Amino acid sequence: MMLSMKYDVIVIGGGHAGAEAANAAAKMGLETLLLAVNLDTVGAMPCNPAVGGPGKSHLAKEVDALGGVIGIAADATYIQLRMLNMSRGPAVQSLRAQSDKREYSVWIKNYLETLPNLTMRQGMVKRFLVNQNKIEGVELAFGEQVFATSVVLCAGTFLEGTIWIGKETQPAGRAGEFPAIGLSDCLRSLGFNMGRLKTGTPPRIDGRTIDYTNLPIVPGDENPQFFSFLDKRPVREQIPCHQTRTTLKTHELILANLQESPMYSGMIHGVGPRYCPSIEDKVVRFADKESHSFFLEPEGRDTYEVYLQGCSTSLPVHIQHQIVASLPGMENARVVRPAYAVEYDYLPAVQFNHALMAKDLEGFFAAGQILGTSGYEEAAAQGIMAGINAALYAKGLDPLILSRSSSYTGTLIDDLVTKDLGEPYRMMTSRSEYRLLLRQDNADQRLTPIGRVIGLVDDYRWDLFNKKQESMQIEMKRLSSTRIQPQEQVEAVLAQFGETLKQSCTLEELLRRPKVTYKAVDELAPAQGETEFAFKQELETDIKYAGYIERQKSQIDQLEKLDRVKLPLEIDYQELRHISKESREKLNRIRPETLGQASRIGGVSPADISVLMVHLETRRRNLQAAAAR
């Protein structure tokens, strides 16, 4: 007799999406099973040993604000912290942590092992158990059946994964790990469309063989900021990174060997990430550039391996050795692990709704690279939302849907499920229409109350959040009520900022001036108290950009009117002849739930939306007339 077991939620995959999904479901009180092909690689960083960067730090901080783990793990295991884009506006400033990749993975696994409702098991899923378009569980490779109310697939690059180095290839989800074979066929048999994508990773270098003497140093910040909104974050010694650049010889080597690249020879059919191209792509596409920058990033405190950031490639190993040797400081460097490309199956996300549940298979959720994204942060953001909604589904409750105006996470999911992307999706600040509202520093204000309601924010975090809110309100009241007068001392301070004062004003009014910073407030009227106000930059940004923020809020109110107009799922868009043929096909395939979602589908024009609005009004009147008869 075959052994069987029952859980509330099964999470398949132990990467960044799987870790967040399992954490969310377990913390919400659901009996959760995390299945991983290899439990030793839970929370692994298979590509760059880093968290954050433009757009990505916003996602990591939003996950933390909801009660996720990526931010806490990044803070606990960093070897360097650096704020990027400091010369630009606050909307695009982004934190990046260089992580100790081994420590990070160990931290995630140790953390998950402490969760009361979570069981972790090593196992490979062979097929899904389905009954009447509803998920019932999974069957493992050796025939064991495990049942659940909801299942979250976070398979990363493992579905029919194949790695390429030159023209040599082998089945693998990533180097040294088995792929998931047969699961794609199972998904197709359930009616899912599958696609093929490609990503890659650079070579790792023996740091002892690098000559750092003349290489520019990239240090961490002297006073680092952190990802998590929790306190008591460890202050660790930081390790510098270094920079090198390609040379004319590097470019000549690449151009002379393009035919050896499986991408250029046509052997790889998957579409690669546009915003993280291989070095072959960079040299060909940007032929006018004489040089491309690479960063030498240590992979940890207890290893000599160095990640050659920017040098993703699938060229043969002997060519990789030559490329590395052509770089300044790398003339005698040894490659420890060669770069490779990985090609894998994925599920185009238009087959899922905004809760990340499949439209045609109840209880089946997905998150991460399996839905066509790239990056740990994108995976984590999807993972926590899929885990939350899988738990809510198992409880028989309505899903949690984050809007575009509420978060980058909402923007990410809306883009995935309403657009035919066709390439790995990477989050950037430019993808959000509301980036001045959705800054990384205010993610807790936007999302922590939501995390509290659903059960992910514990009492300690909630107490910290409320103390912060109280502190900001007190300080805002002080700024708006404290006035300064034109006088010699004031003029001396303001002269540092190229400003002058002709009449009295409040500190709030003073901070609205573009050139004036909180430093002026601290000199003119420092706050009284034992502890310094800790949220100066956030409050200053709110004050300085108050007019723009209010304008964006008005735009959001107008746009959200469309999101409140529900579209009946039974509409046959092919019957709406005044809508373009392309739009009819896309609307029928994606089946948007609201008029707002329909308006964001690529190719659906404002004229098409106007026709839809007329159709909905006509339909409403016909239904009213029928009810009156």
Side-chain angles (χ1 to χ4, degrees), residues 370-414:
I370 187 69
L371 288 186
T373 61
S374 67
Y376 308 146
E377 304 82 2
E378 290 88 345
Q382 294 169 74
I384 194 169
M385 294 308 299
I388 288 169
N389 284 318
L392 292 173
Y393 175 85
K395 290 181 175 184
L397 301 175
D398 290 337
L400 172 64
I401 308 296
L402 296 180
S403 66
R404 295 182 71 89
S405 59
S406 73
S407 58
Y408 274 87
T409 301
T411 303
L412 164 68
I413 293 173
D414 188 62

Side-chain angles (χ1 to χ4, degrees), residues 190-262:
L190 294 172
F192 287 98
N193 295 318
M194 305 292 293
R196 196 85 170 147
L197 292 177
K198 168 259 176 188
T199 189
T201 189
R204 274 59 163 184
I205 311 300
D206 184 336
R208 300 169 300 181
T209 63
I210 299 172
D211 181 2
Y212 293 104
T213 307
N214 296 311
L215 295 183
I217 296 174
V218 184
D221 291 342
E222 188 173 335
N223 298 304
Q225 298 184 46
F226 296 90
F227 279 99
S228 180
F229 291 96
L230 291 174
D231 59 355
K232 301 176 183 175
R233 292 156 298 199
V235 177
R236 295 157 58 93
E237 180 185 357
Q238 299 198 58
I239 300 175
C241 299
H242 291 78
Q243 187 177 13
T244 187
R245 304 191 66 89
T246 59
T247 62
L248 177 61
K249 184 177 180 181
T250 313
H251 293 205
E252 288 173 348
L253 276 167
I254 290 168
L255 293 172
N257 290 280
L258 277 179
Q259 72 281 0
E260 299 296 322
S261 167

Side-chain angles (χ1 to χ4, degrees), residues 106-142:
V106 169
W107 191 97
I108 290 287
K109 185 169 185 285
N110 288 346
Y111 168 83
L112 292 175
E113 288 176 336
T114 68
L115 294 178
N117 300 311
L118 180 63
T119 300
M120 298 170 66
R121 282 199 53 192
Q122 190 159 297
M124 185 178 292
V125 175
K126 181 168 66 175
R127 69 182 182 96
F128 298 103
L129 306 177
V130 175
N131 183 24
Q132 296 182 343
N133 293 323
K134 187 177 288 189
I135 200 80
E136 290 192 335
V138 300
E139 184 174 315
L140 303 184
F142 298 105

Side-chain angles (χ1 to χ4, degrees), residues 381-442:
Q382 294 169 74
I384 194 169
M385 294 308 299
I388 288 169
N389 284 318
L392 292 173
Y393 175 85
K395 290 181 175 184
L397 301 175
D398 290 337
L400 172 64
I401 308 296
L402 296 180
S403 66
R404 295 182 71 89
S405 59
S406 73
S407 58
Y408 274 87
T409 301
T411 303
L412 164 68
I413 293 173
D414 188 62
D415 281 348
L416 288 177
V417 302
T418 61
K419 296 176 181 176
D420 281 322
L421 297 170
E423 63 182 47
Y425 180 101
R426 178 178 180 173
M427 178 51 71
M428 299 175 287
T429 53
S430 60
R431 294 201 188 269
S432 174
E433 309 93 309
Y434 313 115
R435 52 187 175 272
L436 194 53
L437 282 173
L438 309 181
R439 306 187 310 273
Q440 60 174 7
D441 61 5
N442 66 12

Side-chain angles (χ1 to χ4, degrees), residues 426-464:
R426 178 178 180 173
M427 178 51 71
M428 299 175 287
T429 53
S430 60
R431 294 201 188 269
S432 174
E433 309 93 309
Y434 313 115
R435 52 187 175 272
L436 194 53
L437 282 173
L438 309 181
R439 306 187 310 273
Q440 60 174 7
D441 61 5
N442 66 12
D444 59 334
Q445 293 194 58
R446 294 182 279 113
L447 298 177
T448 295
I450 296 174
R452 178 66 172 180
V453 170
I454 61 176
L456 288 185
V457 170
D458 60 19
D459 291 343
Y460 184 78
R461 183 187 285 266
W462 186 239
D463 184 53
L464 280 179

Side-chain angles (χ1 to χ4, degrees), residues 22-87:
N23 172 66
K27 283 176 71 174
M28 290 171 68
L30 281 296
E31 285 298 322
T32 305
L33 173 67
L34 175 64
L35 287 168
V37 174
N38 183 355
L39 286 179
D40 293 331
T41 58
V42 166
M45 291 179 148
C47 194
N48 60 318
V51 172
K56 292 170 174 285
S57 68
H58 297 68
L59 290 173
K61 281 179 166 281
E62 288 180 356
V63 172
D64 177 75
L66 282 168
V69 296
I70 189 173
I72 309 172
D75 289 348
T77 60
Y78 72 89
I79 62 175
Q80 185 187 102
L81 286 166
R82 195 156 62 99
M83 190 67 75
L84 309 180
N85 295 333
M86 286 302 290
S87 62

